[in-house]
Amino acid sequence: MESVLVGVDRSDGSRRAVKFALDRARVNSWRVALVHVIHWSPYSFSTPQENETRHVRRQAEIEQAQTEIINPLLRWIDSEVPDHDIEVTTEIRHGRPSEMLADLAEEGPYDLLVVGRTGESHLRAAIFGSTPYRLVQHAPVAVVVVP
Amino acid sequence: MTSLTAVPMAAESGWLASIEDTINSWFEPIAYWSTTIIFYPIPFFGTEAPIVTFWLVAAGLIFTIYYGAVQFRGFKTSLEVVRGRYSHKADEGEVTHFQALTAALSGTVGLGNIAGVGVAVVIGGPGATFWMILAGLLGMATKFAECTLGVRYREVHEDGSVTGGPFRYLPIAFARFGRLPAKVLTGIYAVAIMLFGVAGGNMFQANQTFAQAQEVTGGDDGFLGSDGAALIFGLILAGLVAAVIIGGIKSIARVTSKLVPAMAIIYVTACLIVIFRNVDQIPGAIADIITGAFNPSGVAGGVVGVVIVGFQRAAFSNEAGLGSAAIAHSPVKTRRPVSEGFVALLEPFIDTVIICTMTALTIIIAAPTLYTEALTTEDTAVPDGVVVTSEAFETVIPDFPVILAVAVALFAFSTLITWSYYGLRAWTTLFGRSTFSENLFKLIFCLFTVTGTVLTFDQVLGFADSMLFLCAFVNLAGVYLLMPVVKREMKEYFADRKSGELSREAAEPPPTKSGAGA
């Protein structure tokens, strides 16, 4: 059975990507993994006080992503694609979205990566290039960019 | 971190001046007695040196021998660890080695690197640089030991936050003497680090920030030279500190924590510009440093005098032996405490061997008048260290003193924030963790920020230095008692690195989601 990895965030673009993946997963009986990557860098600067509570805040960030992004998305899937028998898994990670998705695709192993064309961070994308742009260049598997 | 620069600046008249005078006169006996009793100068080959200098250098030497020159043997390992080569993939989002290192550096890189070195080369001549570098190299072994222990005995609290450092390992180290002595010694350490935090990490920084701000705005005649300006400046600075530590306004802390590394890079770049604009003088400067180290001219106390000046400046700049850095290193996410020791040994290297040497070379090569005059006379008055460094830059980059003033302010501010945290952890060790007691400490801390700007300088410094000695004495005694623990872990780590076990560990998937203290 083939499996497909979908990068998700709060944006409408990522919902369209999920819809795209689910529609094809139903026909081809793929497994679908929804992954949200919380932006984080191992080389950022922080104060000792922040470091002391980092572990706590990390847990809080993951819980927040679960309740604000993943859970609403799962409910939305149930309403958009009712009565499906697709195997949907979810995961929340910390890292740079493009690198993390590419790494996961390699380790998975996944056969396909699906992302929305526009995500949450317009400013960052304008300056540093967007996640889909980077994925297309670096991902080890085929990438579908959903408009 | 501290420095022997003297900037007396009490207001001249008016009611603000009388407040300053009151604070000064109230503080004077405390500073006097703590300096005389605790910071006792030892006569040494015809000159005198504070006992703390010997204590710190001896520790560096002992640890270097005991751990088989780990700072050289393990240097490559250190770089691998800090780059995350042996970090678990599943630990993303936790505190990385890099983040623990930079957080600890924010407390050490500061005025000591700029002002302290200025003082060192003026009093001790170019040769002081050599001994400063040597002391920095020895300090790496001390940091290695204390930071490994800081992580090894850290505590994961109920809420998931992680604290460690001397407050955790000292009770274990001293436990063999019974519960009460262990408690008392840890208590003494906590009091000392809290007081040093308030004096050296707070009042001194506030004092020097104001001194440099006053300097670039026209000295006594500028708008900060007016009556009571120190008090108002202190209130504003304290307000900013309060906004961060009491108000929890993270944006200020975040901006500072990003600007400080940028400033450090700008500073080192400026040093390199000055050095390479005078590229033909580099061999001469290096020759001066080496001849000055063993055969100095115009230095009080001769070669011993130079050694002491160099060692003292290095020790005060990189904080090795105080145990403070062990607090900052402890929340790192790792399964091997000694891995953080390897990272921590980079701290004196960056702080002393790189940045302090840059400052020293800049001054020696640019040769500002304050420095050249000092070389020809033996009885050099202690100058304002920032001014010496500032003048050296001015010879090549005329506008740099203003940038330097900004850098000094930022370094001072980040050191202040970091020390407020060290002080707070000392306070909670003594009085327990509660919101009320924590806020009380933070309030007291801010009051002392104001006090720092209005106090005449000698009193602040004498007080800070005496507390530094107390910290170093108790902390290193504890580290000695536990040093076999570190050695065992070090041997294991080296062996596992060689056999490839470390790389395998990093690659293996985590069994379950575990706590930060795993």
Side-chain angles (χ1 to χ4, degrees):
Chain A
M1 199 197 292
E2 297 208 331
S3 54
V4 50
L5 183 68
V6 190
V8 299
D9 58 14
R10 287 164 215 267
S11 68
D12 292 338
S14 88
R15 294 211 162 177
R16 287 194 291 274
V18 173
K19 185 80 168 48
F20 176 91
L22 286 173
D23 287 346
R24 273 138 200 89
R26 193 148 61 164
V27 179
N28 304 321
S29 60
W30 291 345
R31 269 193 308 251
V32 176
L34 308 178
V35 177
H36 174 68
V37 183
I38 299 166
H39 199 91
W40 172 85
S41 162
Y43 301 112
S44 64
F45 296 100
S46 53
T47 63
Q49 185 121 42
E50 285 175 318
N51 286 351
E52 178 191 306
T53 54
R54 178 64 215 155
H55 180 68
V56 187
R57 281 183 293 117
R58 177 180 182 266
Q59 294 305 109
E61 284 166 9
I62 292 171
E63 274 162 35
Q64 194 187 8
Q66 183 71 39
T67 53
E68 290 179 13
I69 297 169
I70 299 294
N71 290 349
L73 194 63
L74 290 175
R75 281 197 297 274
W76 178 81
I77 290 171
D78 286 339
S79 63
E80 283 288 306
V81 197
D83 305 323
H84 67 80
D85 55 352
I86 311 160
E87 190 187 328
V88 179
T89 58
T90 63
E91 198 174 352
I92 298 166
R93 301 292 290 262
H94 277 82
R96 193 173 167 191
S98 58
E99 282 172 16
M100 181 54 74
L101 290 175
D103 284 352
L104 287 173
E106 180 143 32
E107 289 161 20
Y110 292 96
D111 306 288
L112 189 64
L113 241 167
V114 181
V115 286
R117 185 165 63 195
T118 46
E120 284 172 9
S121 47
H122 293 286
L123 184 66
R124 193 183 292 136
I127 299 169
F128 301 109
S130 64
T131 301
Y133 180 81
R134 263 194 256 261
L135 277 174
V136 166
Q137 292 200 316
H138 302 293
V141 297
V143 180
V144 174
V145 181
V146 179
Chain B
M1 214 200 60
T2 54
S3 124
L4 281 175
T5 48
V7 192
M9 46 175 182
E12 286 93 40
S13 59
W15 64 274
L16 283 170
S18 68
I19 294 179
E20 292 180 4
D21 287 343
T22 315
I23 297 174
N24 270 333
S25 59
W26 177 77
F27 209 87
E28 212 175 320
I30 306 177
Y32 176 77
W33 284 108
S34 60
T35 315
T36 327
I37 298 167
I38 308 171
F39 207 62
Y40 185 72
I42 304 275
F44 187 73
F45 289 105
T47 181
E48 279 185 339
I51 191 169
V52 63
T53 310
F54 296 109
W55 181 249
L56 290 170
V57 171
L61 205 58
I62 290 168
F63 293 131
T64 302
I65 296 166
Y66 186 70
Y67 297 125
V70 65
Q71 63 267 60
F72 306 112
R73 226 160 31 104
F75 198 78
K76 199 170 163 225
T77 311
S78 299
L79 295 176
E80 286 170 356
V81 174
V82 86
R83 284 208 311 263
R85 175 140 174 218
Y86 304 126
S87 300
H88 266 259
K89 277 213 148 161
D91 290 346
E92 74 237 2
E94 302 278 3
V95 179
T96 60
H97 288 292
F98 178 86
Q99 285 164 339
L101 176 67
T102 49
L105 272 173
S106 73
T108 53
V109 175
L111 287 161
N113 306 70
I114 301 171
V117 176
V119 177
V121 292
V122 167
I123 302 179
T129 315
F130 179 87
W131 300 108
M132 221 164 53
I133 294 172
L134 188 69
L137 292 171
L138 292 177
M140 291 167 77
T142 310
K143 279 254 164 130
F144 169 76
E146 63 183 7
C147 292
T148 301
L149 293 174
V151 177
R152 173 82 166 69
Y153 297 106
R154 65 186 169 181
E155 183 180 18
V156 182
H157 298 275
E158 269 173 39
D159 63 359
S161 59
V162 187
T163 58
F167 312 124
R168 301 285 313 157
Y169 65 70
L170 289 180
I172 293 160
F174 297 132
R176 66 192 73 184
F177 305 127
R179 272 185 64 180
L180 189 68
K183 248 198 150 103
V184 170
L185 283 167
T186 312
I188 290 174
Y189 178 80
V191 169
I193 200 131
M194 191 175 72
L195 293 178
F196 181 68
V198 165
N202 181 2
M203 291 159 79
F204 172 75
Q205 307 292 333
N207 190 302
Q208 287 287 282
T209 312
F210 180 69
Q212 181 69 6
Q214 198 183 36
E215 185 76 28
V216 295
T217 53
D220 287 341
D221 305 323
F223 79 101
L224 285 176
S226 68
D227 219 14
L231 185 58
I232 295 163
F233 189 90
L235 286 171
I236 294 170
L237 188 63
L240 283 171
V241 174
V244 175
I245 66 173
I246 302 175
I249 300 184
K250 294 219 175 64
S251 51
I252 300 176
R254 212 172 291 144
V255 168
T256 323
S257 70
K258 285 189 173 57
L259 281 176
V260 165
M263 273 296 162
I265 292 167
I266 290 172
Y267 182 78
V268 172
T269 313
C271 289
L272 290 173
I273 290 172
V274 175
I275 294 166
F276 283 100
R277 279 288 288 275
N278 301 290
V279 71
D280 52 318
Q281 292 179 36
I282 296 175
I286 292 170
D288 278 354
I289 289 172
I290 293 170
T291 49
F294 299 100
N295 190 16
S297 60
V299 176
V303 72
V304 183
V306 183
V307 175
I308 288 168
V309 168
F311 279 2
Q312 200 164 328
R313 286 304 111 208
F316 287 2
S317 170
N318 63 38
E319 290 178 18
L322 303 198
S324 51
I327 307 171
H329 280 282
S330 55
V332 72
K333 177 74 182 182
T334 179
R335 284 150 187 79
R336 306 273 202 140
V338 76
S339 66
E340 193 56 26
F342 281 106
V343 170
L345 66 77
L346 293 172
E347 227 187 296
F349 184 78
I350 296 169
D351 179 275
T352 310
V353 181
I354 296 180
I355 303 184
C356 285
T357 307
M358 285 289 168
T359 308
L361 274 177
T362 303
I363 297 170
I364 294 165
I365 286 175
T369 34
L370 268 174
Y371 167 72
T372 47
E373 275 173 12
L375 282 185
T376 52
T377 50
E378 184 145 320
D379 283 319
T380 313
V382 178
D384 183 350
V386 181
V387 175
V388 179
T389 316
S390 186
E391 276 187 8
F393 282 114
E394 219 173 342
T395 59
V396 175
I397 316 167
D399 292 328
F400 199 72
V402 180
I403 300 172
L404 194 67
V406 177
V408 163
L410 281 168
F411 285 146
F413 192 72
S414 78
T415 305
L416 238 146
I417 299 293
T418 305
W419 273 93
S420 79
Y421 171 71
Y422 295 162
L424 179 67
R425 284 294 150 254
W427 176 273
T428 52
T429 303
L430 293 166
F431 304 110
R433 282 164 75 98
S434 82
T435 317
F436 174 76
S437 105
E438 290 189 11
N439 281 334
L440 184 67
F441 172 78
K442 290 169 181 173
L443 196 68
I444 296 171
F445 191 85
C446 292
L447 286 176
F448 275 98
T449 308
V450 183
T451 319
T453 51
V454 296
L455 272 178
T456 45
F457 185 73
D458 292 345
Q459 293 160 20
V460 185
L461 192 91
F463 182 64
D465 284 354
S466 59
M467 288 304 115
L468 179 87
F469 170 69
L470 253 188
C471 292
F473 187 79
V474 181
N475 177 53
L476 287 175
V479 178
Y480 285 137
L481 291 170
L482 292 174
M483 63 192 213
V485 177
V486 180
K487 190 168 192 173
R488 245 190 337 265
E489 296 216 0
M490 178 189 81
K491 277 187 171 165
E492 215 175 279
Y493 200 78
F494 272 134
D496 285 350
R497 176 179 175 267
K498 208 171 173 191
S499 70
E501 176 65 26
L502 286 182
S503 311
R504 271 196 297 282
E505 260 178 34
E508 92 192 9
T512 45
K513 297 268 181 237
S514 57

